[in-house]
Amino acid sequence: MPRRPPVGLLLALLAGACHYTGPLPAVRVQPVATLTAQQTAVCRSVTGALPKELTADVVRRRTDPDDGSTAAWGDPAIVLRCGVGPGSALDDLYEFDGVQWAMHDTGATRTWTTLGRTVNVQVVVPDHYDGQAELLGSLATALAATR
Protein backbone atom coordinates (compact mmCIF):
# COMPACT_ATOMS: atom_id res chain seq x y z
CA MET A 1 0.00 0.00 0.00
CA PRO A 2 1.51 3.38 -0.98
CA ARG A 3 2.39 5.81 1.78
CA ARG A 4 0.99 9.32 1.81
CA PRO A 5 3.47 12.20 1.87
CA PRO A 6 3.55 14.28 5.06
CA VAL A 7 1.19 17.26 5.16
CA GLY A 8 4.19 19.62 5.44
CA LEU A 9 5.56 18.34 2.13
CA LEU A 10 2.20 18.91 0.45
CA LEU A 11 2.05 22.47 1.80
CA ALA A 12 5.58 23.15 0.58
CA LEU A 13 4.68 21.89 -2.88
CA LEU A 14 1.57 24.07 -2.97
CA ALA A 15 3.56 27.10 -1.82
CA GLY A 16 6.11 26.42 -4.56
CA ALA A 17 3.32 26.44 -7.12
CA CYS A 18 2.81 30.14 -6.44
CA HIS A 19 6.16 30.87 -8.08
CA TYR A 20 4.81 29.91 -11.52
CA THR A 21 7.71 27.73 -12.56
CA GLY A 22 5.70 25.21 -14.56
CA PRO A 23 5.86 25.06 -18.34
CA LEU A 24 4.12 27.77 -20.31
CA PRO A 25 0.87 26.75 -21.96
CA ALA A 26 0.64 26.56 -25.72
CA VAL A 27 -0.53 29.95 -26.94
CA ARG A 28 -1.19 31.42 -30.36
CA VAL A 29 2.01 33.34 -31.01
CA GLN A 30 3.52 34.48 -34.21
CA PRO A 31 6.89 32.98 -34.94
CA VAL A 32 9.79 35.19 -34.05
CA ALA A 33 11.14 36.79 -37.18
CA THR A 34 14.79 36.54 -38.15
CA LEU A 35 16.19 39.51 -36.29
CA THR A 36 19.18 41.65 -37.05
CA ALA A 37 21.79 42.17 -34.36
CA GLN A 38 20.27 45.59 -33.65
CA GLN A 39 16.74 44.15 -33.31
CA THR A 40 18.04 41.42 -31.01
CA ALA A 41 19.64 44.12 -28.85
CA VAL A 42 16.30 46.00 -28.78
CA CYS A 43 14.48 42.85 -27.65
CA ARG A 44 17.00 42.26 -24.88
CA SER A 45 16.57 45.89 -23.82
CA VAL A 46 12.80 45.46 -23.76
CA THR A 47 12.82 42.21 -21.77
CA GLY A 48 15.39 43.66 -19.37
CA ALA A 49 13.15 46.68 -18.71
CA LEU A 50 9.92 44.74 -18.21
CA PRO A 51 8.21 45.19 -14.85
CA LYS A 52 8.27 42.52 -12.15
CA GLU A 53 4.50 42.91 -11.80
CA LEU A 54 1.68 43.91 -14.11
CA THR A 55 -0.60 46.38 -12.41
CA ALA A 56 -4.23 45.47 -13.14
CA ASP A 57 -4.32 42.22 -11.16
CA VAL A 58 -0.83 42.52 -9.62
CA VAL A 59 0.42 39.61 -11.68
CA ARG A 60 4.01 38.62 -10.88
CA ARG A 61 6.63 37.92 -13.49
CA ARG A 62 7.67 34.31 -13.93
CA THR A 63 11.28 33.19 -14.00
CA ASP A 64 10.65 31.25 -17.21
CA PRO A 65 11.24 31.68 -20.05
CA ASP A 66 14.56 33.50 -20.02
CA ASP A 67 15.67 33.61 -23.64
CA GLY A 68 16.03 37.37 -24.16
CA SER A 69 12.92 37.70 -26.34
CA THR A 70 10.14 36.19 -24.24
CA ALA A 71 8.67 36.93 -20.81
CA ALA A 72 5.67 35.69 -18.86
CA TRP A 73 3.61 36.70 -15.85
CA GLY A 74 1.12 34.81 -13.71
CA ASP A 75 -0.86 31.62 -14.04
CA PRO A 76 -2.52 31.31 -16.46
CA ALA A 77 0.45 32.87 -18.18
CA ILE A 78 0.45 36.24 -19.87
CA VAL A 79 3.15 35.74 -22.53
CA LEU A 80 5.18 38.49 -24.24
CA ARG A 81 7.24 37.78 -27.38
CA CYS A 82 9.56 40.35 -28.91
CA GLY A 83 10.52 40.24 -32.58
CA VAL A 84 7.24 39.03 -34.11
CA GLY A 85 5.60 40.15 -37.35
CA PRO A 86 3.38 43.24 -37.28
CA GLY A 87 -0.17 43.13 -36.03
CA SER A 88 -2.95 43.10 -38.59
CA ALA A 89 -4.75 46.34 -39.36
CA LEU A 90 -7.84 44.12 -39.84
CA ASP A 91 -7.90 43.36 -36.11
CA ASP A 92 -9.39 45.76 -33.58
CA LEU A 93 -7.05 48.73 -33.10
CA TYR A 94 -6.30 50.37 -29.75
CA GLU A 95 -3.79 52.76 -28.23
CA PHE A 96 -2.67 52.68 -24.61
CA ASP A 97 -0.04 55.01 -23.19
CA GLY A 98 1.31 55.91 -26.64
CA VAL A 99 1.58 52.33 -27.90
CA GLN A 100 -0.67 51.24 -30.79
CA TRP A 101 -1.98 47.67 -30.65
CA ALA A 102 -3.86 45.32 -32.96
CA MET A 103 -6.03 42.98 -30.87
CA HIS A 104 -7.17 39.56 -32.06
CA ASP A 105 -9.78 37.90 -29.83
CA THR A 106 -9.74 34.09 -29.99
CA GLY A 107 -12.42 33.62 -27.35
CA ALA A 108 -10.06 32.23 -24.71
CA THR A 109 -7.27 34.78 -25.13
CA ARG A 110 -6.65 38.17 -26.62
CA THR A 111 -3.53 38.54 -28.70
CA TRP A 112 -2.18 42.09 -28.69
CA THR A 113 0.50 42.96 -31.27
CA THR A 114 2.16 46.34 -31.58
CA LEU A 115 1.85 48.42 -34.74
CA GLY A 116 4.34 50.88 -36.21
CA ARG A 117 7.39 49.82 -34.22
CA THR A 118 10.92 49.02 -35.34
CA VAL A 119 10.60 45.70 -33.50
CA ASN A 120 7.11 44.33 -32.89
CA VAL A 121 5.97 42.84 -29.62
CA GLN A 122 3.09 40.44 -29.06
CA VAL A 123 1.33 39.89 -25.74
CA VAL A 124 -1.10 36.99 -25.33
CA VAL A 125 -3.47 37.58 -22.42
CA PRO A 126 -5.92 34.89 -21.25
CA ASP A 127 -9.46 36.20 -20.81
CA HIS A 128 -9.06 35.25 -17.14
CA TYR A 129 -7.52 38.72 -16.61
CA ASP A 130 -9.64 41.85 -16.34
CA GLY A 131 -8.23 45.30 -17.08
CA GLN A 132 -6.17 44.30 -20.10
CA ALA A 133 -5.61 47.98 -20.98
CA GLU A 134 -3.93 48.44 -17.59
CA LEU A 135 -1.83 45.32 -18.11
CA LEU A 136 -0.62 46.62 -21.48
CA GLY A 137 -0.15 50.13 -20.11
CA SER A 138 2.27 48.80 -17.51
CA LEU A 139 4.49 47.60 -20.42
CA ALA A 140 4.65 51.03 -22.13
CA THR A 141 7.92 52.17 -20.55
CA ALA A 142 9.72 48.97 -21.51
CA LEU A 143 8.34 49.19 -25.06
CA ALA A 144 9.80 52.67 -25.59
CA ALA A 145 12.95 51.02 -26.99
CA THR A 146 10.91 49.64 -29.93
CA ARG A 147 10.00 53.05 -31.41
Side-chain angles (χ1 to χ4, degrees):
M1 174 184 269
R3 293 178 19 155
R4 293 184 183 188
V7 173
L9 177 61
L10 290 175
L11 291 176
L13 289 172
L14 288 174
C18 294
H19 293 287
Y20 312 118
T21 57
L24 292 178
V27 293
R28 176 188 177 261
V29 294
Q30 296 176 5
V32 174
T34 302
L35 302 178
T36 66
Q38 181 182 8
Q39 291 170 322
T40 299
V42 168
C43 283
R44 286 208 169 105
S45 175
V46 166
T47 57
L50 290 170
K52 300 289 182 207
E53 295 178 342
L54 299 179
T55 57
D57 289 333
V58 188
V59 184
R60 292 189 184 153
R61 188 165 175 188
R62 297 168 58 128
T63 57
D64 65 316
D66 189 12
D67 65 3
S69 67
T70 307
W73 295 262
D75 188 15
I78 297 168
V79 180
L80 177 143
R81 302 268 301 164
C82 184
V84 298
S88 171
L90 299 176
D91 287 334
D92 295 330
L93 304 180
Y94 296 88
E95 184 171 328
F96 307 116
D97 295 328
V99 179
Q100 293 180 342
W101 298 92
M103 188 274 295
H104 182 81
D105 190 344
T106 66
T109 63
R110 291 187 182 147
T111 301
W112 301 86
T113 309
T114 58
L115 294 169
R117 306 300 237 183
T118 57
V119 177
N120 292 301
V121 172
Q122 180 183 74
V123 181
V124 179
V125 184
D127 282 346
H128 166 82
Y129 296 100
D130 293 324
Q132 293 196 15
E134 290 179 58
L135 290 169
L136 296 171
S138 62
L139 300 173
T141 300
L143 296 179
T146 64
R147 285 190 207 147

